[in-house]
Amino acid sequence: MEMYSSVPEFRVIIDRQACRLCKRCIENCSFGALEWRDNKVKAFDDRCVACQRCVSMCPEDAIALRRTPSAMSAHPIWTENARRDVFTQSRTGAILLASTGNELHERVIFDNLLLDACQVTNPAIDPLREPIELRTYIGRKPRFVELEELDDSLKLKTELSPALRLEIPIMIAQMSYGAISLEAHEALARAAVMRGTTMGSGEGGLHKKLYPYADHIIVQVASGRFGVHPAYLEAGAAVEIKIGQGAKPGIGGHLPGTKITEEISEARMIPVGADAISPAPHHDIYSIEDLAQLVNSLKEATRYKKPVLVKIAAVHNVAAISSGICRAGADAIVIDGFRAGTGATPKVIRDNVGIPIELALASVDQRLREEGIRNETSIIASGTIRNSGDVAKAIALGADAVKIGTAALIALGCTVCKRCYTGKCAWGIATQDPRLRSRLDPVEGAQHVSNLLLAWSIELKEILGAAGINSIESLRGNRDRLRGYGLDHTMLEILGVQPAGS
Amino acid sequence: MRIVANYKHYKELNEEIFQAVQAGVAELTLEDVNGQRFIADCLKGKLNIDIYGTPGNDLGMFMDGPTVTVFGNAQDGVGNTMSSGKIIIHGDGRDILGHSMRGGKIFVRGDVGYRVGIHMKTYKSNVPIIVAGGRAGDFLGEYMAGGMIIVLGIHNRAKKAEILGDWIATGQHGGAIYVRGNVDDSKLGNGASQFPLTSDDEIAVKKVLKEYCHVFGLDLESLLDSEFTKIAPLSHRPYAALYTCE
């Protein structure tokens, strides 16, 4: 009867001749897939998640992981995953949890968009010799500016709204302390400082260790209001109201009590061991007017010194909703696409709810332009930004900046084994186990994330230079510098992009 | 110090209050308050604010320390996500009073509206307390994670109106609601149940009510004469069995 559970997804292959029985692999496996039996390492394939920890820790390269494609007879519709899910749910009667992002829809529209470059008629710019501006200001921009002429200078008369100054148009996404470890949180904060950008506190409050970096941290206010207090609001570079996230639009979150350790409890300000429940809606927001009230209360709380961002998942009516959010006074709208990652979400929601970030972004930018309010808010796009090409394309589709989550975690050592929800992350990222956490060095991790951001920044300058553009601002919403390749007419229309060759 | 709010925009009024507090003013009286929002939003420290009129939504939001007394009714969102301090309302409070409150006290002489005390939480010595003298509407203490709510139904008895609305304490996973009188089980949402008061409960309720009666000049003994009902969660992890994984 328990047939499926005995068909493992991966096979751990140990080279018995090379293995010197040091047991390091056993110590490193946090999923219990390797045990010491009869004086040798025994693998329990069904527990293996292919996180690669043992493979990389084996001093003799004696371990290899193989996928087991022949384990089940093939069926194009009843895939192994589909069968496994039915089996699991038939034995538990429960909601299937998943981590990371959408696995059902493999198509990424970014891959069907092509960037432009100069040839002959207008010169390309060499970013190695000429300055190319990546600095980005996030916040409300005035419709026009009034200047006052002084004797030998000009003075700005227009009162500007508070803005976030970013040296690069790439921010680190909101990931909570609780979903990820303190070491991961610290590494991301340090990286944000190093590259002149921001990271997000997530909705779990801010550990006191992170306060020194708080001028590069956007503090989040979510429906659970965990760890939200005056010092937290005043510390952050900006405040972000989380309405939804791409991996679970319309869904609240339950951080299980088993993960509420002493330290998490302190940051979230809730008792150890009790579930941390973030309700699906904010109970003080039932309308755009109510959202405006929360935006304004946060502006009042921070004495109008910090931008207030509002994050939503990309859903069907994203353009109209964004118009409302802009009118509610948000200084920036963060739109999280349906491929966005997460520590834990119901799989059915992750794979089936929401729309792609590319389409959401284009339609929001278009709508705000049509309504003449695009200057009143910044747009930040997130949900599988995998490389600098995606960054450039997102900006050309209308984003002011992008946020990266999974990419930053991969830089920290994440191998996308998709088991964040277990809390057993062997790389010390999505775990609160002190033994596992100690595997992640925040300083080294910060350097890796910083390197990634640096590399993408240099590449962005190359992309801009090639297009003959010397400032990222001139790429924003510049869909003329994009062409669609293999996209249907309707999609091109929504994206506001011409087909390649036209 | 006295500030007349009259028809000032809340931004102007709150800036005046903020400047006064910055300048070291510790006693403030606001007169002719006409629905101005966010009064005492995120204010900290020892500070007394007396309000005459009707303050607008989110009175005392994020507040951490001050005492605010309203001589009149308050609107929605009193003490929203408040950290500490005290809010005393000599009239009625409205919806989502004490939303996500994590410390301090809100004493209301009269009734409170819907969704009061939603997602209140306790952290160590921070135990938020709400006392409503009259009745409370639907969804009282929904998702309640900590703290104490007391509903007295003082005025409702004569009117024979129900003390509580429906769907009380749905999804409650911490804290306790004490109601003066009996509660029908049909009023409770999922996750909560009725329990007899322990001697610790009785001591805690008496302590809070003593202060409440002192504030409003009520007779403590006559309040304590009645039976109280305690509503508390069945589990601190109500959704533990909801999920599975591969």
Side-chain angles (χ1 to χ4, degrees):
Chain A
M1 192 60 200
E2 301 302 311
M3 185 179 68
Y4 285 94
S5 61
S6 67
V7 179
E9 201 177 347
F10 305 103
R11 191 146 206 99
V12 186
I13 297 157
I14 302 169
D15 181 340
R16 298 290 170 189
Q17 285 196 313
C19 175
R20 61 160 134 126
L21 310 177
C22 71
K23 303 185 199 169
R24 194 188 285 185
C25 54
I26 298 173
E27 283 163 29
N28 271 281
C29 180
S30 50
F31 292 90
L34 298 167
E35 285 184 17
W36 188 248
R37 294 271 174 95
D38 305 327
N39 291 319
K40 61 177 184 180
V41 178
K42 179 169 168 50
F44 294 84
D45 292 342
D46 56 327
R47 299 176 201 161
C48 177
V49 302
C51 74
Q52 307 295 332
R53 182 78 191 179
C54 59
V55 175
S56 60
M57 287 297 140
C58 176
E60 302 296 339
D61 288 337
I63 307 178
L65 304 178
R66 298 272 180 274
R67 199 175 286 280
T68 51
S70 59
M72 292 186 194
S73 62
H75 189 283
I77 310 302
W78 287 100
T79 60
E80 286 187 30
N81 268 338
R83 279 178 268 181
R84 234 183 227 112
D85 289 353
V86 168
F87 175 81
T88 305
Q89 293 197 288
S90 69
R91 296 301 181 273
T92 55
I95 296 173
L96 265 180
L97 270 187
S99 298
T100 326
N102 201 317
E103 285 185 74
L104 200 57
H105 301 274
E106 291 175 26
R107 183 176 187 186
V108 178
I109 300 170
F110 282 133
D111 295 341
N112 292 92
L113 289 170
L114 303 171
L115 290 158
D116 192 21
C118 298
Q119 298 291 295
V120 185
T121 52
N122 53 345
I125 302 170
D126 181 355
L128 299 177
R129 290 187 296 107
E130 293 178 66
I132 289 185
E133 183 71 61
L134 293 185
R135 184 174 292 162
T136 301
Y137 288 92
I138 298 296
R140 184 169 293 246
K141 314 287 190 312
R143 203 168 292 272
F144 54 86
V145 286
E146 274 188 290
L147 296 169
E148 190 183 328
E149 267 186 78
L150 300 176
D151 288 345
D152 55 349
S153 62
L154 290 171
K155 194 182 157 212
L156 188 63
K157 270 175 76 180
T158 310
E159 205 177 313
L160 297 178
S161 297
L164 271 180
R165 178 174 142 170
L166 306 175
E167 298 306 323
I168 53 173
I170 309 164
M171 306 153 88
I172 299 169
Q174 297 279 355
M175 290 175 276
S176 75
Y177 170 46
I180 60 173
S181 65
L182 182 58
E183 288 69 19
H185 232 214
E186 189 188 337
L188 298 176
R190 282 171 174 269
V193 173
M194 287 161 83
R195 294 263 70 90
T197 183
T198 63
M199 64 90 80
S201 66
E203 61 178 294
L206 206 53
H207 190 276
K208 50 186 181 293
K209 220 173 165 182
L210 273 286
Y211 274 84
Y213 314 103
D215 55 346
H216 287 80
I217 296 175
I218 299 178
V219 293
Q220 199 175 48
V221 173
S223 63
R225 303 285 157 87
F226 297 111
V228 179
H229 51 83
Y232 171 80
L233 296 174
E234 284 159 12
V239 183
E240 182 172 314
I241 299 168
K242 177 196 166 184
I243 300 294
Q245 69 182 85
K248 42 178 145 173
I251 293 283
H254 300 160
L255 186 66
T258 48
K259 288 189 184 175
I260 312 289
T261 62
E262 189 69 44
E263 281 190 305
I264 301 265
S265 139
E266 192 182 336
R268 295 203 172 211
M269 302 178 87
I270 49 166
V272 174
D275 277 357
I277 298 175
S278 290
H282 287 249
H283 286 298
D284 48 1
I285 304 178
Y286 282 46
S287 66
I288 288 291
E289 290 76 12
D290 287 349
L291 174 66
Q293 188 175 306
L294 185 60
V295 168
N296 288 326
S297 74
L298 289 166
K299 289 186 175 182
E300 279 281 330
T302 54
R303 301 311 309 154
Y304 300 90
K305 289 195 188 100
K306 297 171 200 284
V308 175
L309 291 66
V310 174
K311 176 183 180 181
I312 53 164
V315 290
H316 300 185
N317 282 324
V318 67
I321 295 163
S322 296
S323 166
I325 293 172
C326 177
R327 292 168 196 282
D331 297 293
I333 306 169
V334 184
I335 305 166
D336 205 21
F338 85 147
R339 292 187 306 264
T342 183
T345 179
K347 190 175 188 178
V348 67
I349 301 289
R350 183 196 70 174
D351 290 349
N352 296 289
V353 181
I355 64 170
I357 186 60
E358 300 90 334
L359 299 170
L361 184 52
S363 65
V364 170
D365 180 63
Q366 187 60 31
R367 177 72 173 255
L368 298 188
R369 281 170 194 275
E370 281 167 9
E371 295 184 5
I373 54 174
R374 178 64 183 85
N375 63 297
E376 291 186 15
T377 195
S378 293
I379 300 175
I380 300 164
S382 59
T384 45
I385 300 291
R386 303 156 300 170
N387 51 51
S388 61
D390 290 350
V391 179
K393 291 168 189 174
I395 290 172
L397 284 174
D400 288 82
V402 301
K403 284 196 179 189
I404 59 165
T406 307
L409 297 188
I410 293 172
L412 288 181
C414 163
T415 58
V416 195
C417 77
K418 307 177 288 183
R419 294 300 186 285
C420 318
Y421 56 78
T422 63
K424 293 179 185 169
C425 177
W427 299 90
I429 300 167
T431 179
Q432 303 306 326
D433 180 340
R435 194 176 63 90
L436 302 175
R437 280 168 48 192
S438 68
R439 295 174 182 181
L440 181 64
D441 176 359
V443 177
E444 191 188 14
Q447 189 61 55
H448 292 156
V449 177
S450 169
N451 288 347
L452 176 75
L453 293 172
L454 175 65
W456 288 12
S457 309
I458 300 170
E459 288 180 342
L460 268 182
K461 289 183 180 182
E462 293 284 352
I463 291 168
L464 289 172
I469 295 172
N470 65 4
S471 165
I472 194 79
E473 278 186 347
S474 307
L475 182 66
R476 186 177 315 132
N478 193 345
R479 303 179 201 190
D480 198 33
R481 306 311 293 271
L482 288 174
R483 286 292 183 272
Y485 176 61
L487 293 172
D488 63 48
H489 181 75
T490 315
M491 210 180 281
L492 287 169
E493 206 167 46
I494 294 166
L495 292 168
V497 168
Q498 296 285 318
S502 72
Chain B
M1 188 179 159
R2 179 173 157 268
I3 298 174
V4 180
N6 205 358
Y7 295 119
K8 279 178 187 158
H9 189 271
Y10 69 76
K11 256 171 118 168
E12 193 188 338
L13 175 64
N14 292 333
E15 181 62 23
E16 273 184 60
I17 296 171
F18 179 73
Q19 293 303 337
V21 173
Q22 288 294 97
V25 172
E27 300 283 337
L28 261 170
T29 302
L30 309 182
E31 291 175 4
D32 282 343
V33 174
N34 279 306
Q36 281 91 350
R37 293 179 173 184
F38 316 123
I39 293 174
D41 184 353
C42 216
L43 288 185
K44 299 180 286 284
K46 279 206 178 303
L47 175 67
N48 274 312
I49 303 181
D50 286 351
I51 297 175
Y52 294 88
T54 307
N57 293 355
D58 286 339
L59 169 73
M61 188 164 187
F62 307 121
M63 193 176 84
D64 195 5
T67 297
V68 175
T69 308
V70 181
F71 297 95
N73 297 322
Q75 298 189 336
D76 296 344
V78 171
N80 191 345
T81 322
M82 159 177 164
S83 282
S84 72
K86 201 190 284 184
I87 300 177
I88 295 160
I89 299 165
H90 283 265
D92 292 338
R94 277 315 309 165
D95 301 352
I96 55 161
L97 179 139
H99 171 226
S100 286
M101 183 184 172
R102 69 160 53 77
K105 291 169 187 155
I106 302 177
F107 289 166
V108 183
R109 179 78 170 86
D111 298 340
V112 292
Y114 298 108
R115 293 179 273 138
V116 165
I118 280 199
H119 219 305
M120 276 166 77
K121 18 185 125 53
T122 299
Y123 176 62
K124 293 189 174 166
S125 62
N126 296 339
V127 181
I129 295 167
I130 295 174
V131 184
R135 75 179 299 276
D138 298 348
F139 306 107
L140 176 76
E142 190 179 44
Y143 274 127
M144 189 172 174
M148 180 200 272
I149 299 175
I150 303 177
V151 185
L152 297 171
I154 296 172
H155 324 290
N156 300 78
R157 298 214 164 167
K159 288 187 259 169
K160 294 206 156 103
E162 289 193 280
I163 299 175
L164 297 179
D166 293 321
W167 306 102
I168 303 303
T170 307
Q172 184 183 22
H173 51 292
I177 301 174
Y178 301 94
V179 184
R180 189 162 150 262
N182 298 318
V183 176
D184 196 286
D185 266 333
S186 67
K187 290 279 176 195
L188 303 189
N190 291 331
S193 189
Q194 301 199 37
F195 296 89
L197 270 72
T198 63
S199 55
D200 283 352
D201 289 328
E202 281 169 6
I203 292 166
V205 168
K206 189 174 175 184
K207 190 179 161 210
V208 171
L209 288 185
K210 197 176 163 191
E211 190 183 342
Y212 179 85
C213 287
H214 176 75
V215 165
F216 292 117
L218 297 169
D219 179 36
L220 177 65
E221 292 311 314
S222 65
L223 280 183
L224 290 176
D225 256 359
S226 335
E227 280 289 301
F228 277 78
T229 303
K230 177 184 181 182
I231 300 166
L234 291 162
S235 162
H236 293 282
R237 301 208 47 213
Y239 304 116
L242 191 60
Y243 301 104
T244 184
C245 46
E246 285 172 36

